[in-house]
Amino acid sequence: MERKEGPISSRGKMPKERPAAFMDAVLAIVMTILVLDLPRPTVMSVAGFWELRHDFFAYALSFFWLGSMWVNMHNEWDGVEVVDTSVLWRMVLLLFCSSLIPYATGVVSDAMYSAVAQAFYGICVIALTLANVWLSRALASANADESPDVINRMERRQSALLLDCAIKVAGLALAVFVWPPAMMVSVLVAAAFITVVVRREGLV
């Protein structure tokens, strides 16, 4: 596929490098902010750290979940060449949803067994997952001239993300009506699911 030089082509497309670098930088900042909300023990002892177990669990879950999302997005973006305006705006939406994760993590770590706190965390996570799917579709559309294999892998990844989202929605329902921590458990299950599917289907 012929690639035009310069910041933008006559078809409204541009090279992916600058947007990808911007997204990487913002996600790195979001992941770093997570640790800033971790409180210090009131008493410097094992018991003092044990009291913060919910904070550390919420931090680790959010950090590695965002990290796994970044790894999968990096692999997807590696197979494409250009972006367009639709991709850029959907990327902004994804970064907006990402920026809510540190706040949602702080809320849920302070009230691990609160259905409201877990529901808020779940809504933020699900919104980010759906934004990821929406971005992936725009990326596939902007690179429709790429090889069929690349587009096919992107479409299969989107299908896997929708199943991933379904697991989280089920967790949200369980968190609201049965057991609040089910939301965070569903994020763990969904992350394991998407990792297995991505590797088994060769979507990396």
Side-chain angles (χ1 to χ4, degrees):
M1 181 182 68
E2 182 180 355
R3 183 172 166 182
K4 298 189 177 183
E5 298 296 330
I8 190 166
S9 74
S10 60
R11 294 189 300 167
K13 296 184 179 181
M14 64 197 77
K16 67 178 181 182
E17 283 75 19
R18 288 182 63 188
F22 175 72
M23 184 163 60
D24 286 352
V26 174
L27 286 176
I29 291 170
V30 169
M31 293 172 69
T32 302
I33 289 174
L34 282 168
V35 77
L36 300 180
D37 282 335
L38 281 177
R40 292 179 175 82
T42 52
V43 177
M44 198 57 61
S45 64
V46 173
F49 277 102
W50 179 248
E51 290 178 356
L52 302 178
R53 60 191 181 280
H54 292 161
D55 300 86
F56 280 98
F57 173 73
Y59 162 70
L61 176 64
S62 294
F63 184 92
F64 284 105
W65 180 70
L66 285 172
S68 66
M69 183 187 75
W70 176 82
V71 169
N72 288 319
M73 290 178 64
H74 172 75
N75 290 326
E76 180 176 59
W77 281 62
D78 189 54
V80 301
E81 294 294 336
V82 297
V83 299
D84 59 15
T85 303
S86 178
V87 171
L88 296 180
W89 279 111
R90 295 183 194 195
M91 186 179 75
V92 169
L93 176 62
L94 180 139
L95 294 177
F96 169 76
C97 294
S98 299
S99 71
L100 290 171
I101 298 300
Y103 178 74
T105 301
V107 168
V108 80
S109 63
D110 287 341
M112 185 69 67
Y113 292 93
S114 165
V116 173
Q118 290 283 355
F120 178 72
Y121 182 81
I123 289 170
C124 292
V125 167
I126 291 168
L128 179 51
T129 303
L130 291 175
N132 192 4
V133 174
W134 202 36
L135 172 60
S136 180
R137 288 179 174 174
L139 198 60
S141 178
N143 291 270
D145 295 333
E146 289 290 323
S147 71
D149 180 63
V150 171
I151 302 302
N152 179 260
R153 283 194 295 113
M154 294 177 73
E155 291 174 347
R156 285 188 289 138
R157 178 179 176 273
Q158 292 161 20
S159 297
L161 281 173
L162 289 175
L163 290 174
D164 167 277
C165 190
I167 294 172
K168 293 167 184 167
V169 170
L172 177 59
L174 289 172
V176 172
F177 297 108
V178 182
W179 185 56
M183 184 63 243
M184 303 192 87
V185 173
S186 74
V187 173
L188 278 173
V189 172
F193 165 79
I194 201 70
T195 299
V196 170
V197 169
V198 163
R199 292 191 174 277
R200 188 186 65 187
E201 298 295 327
L203 302 182
V204 295

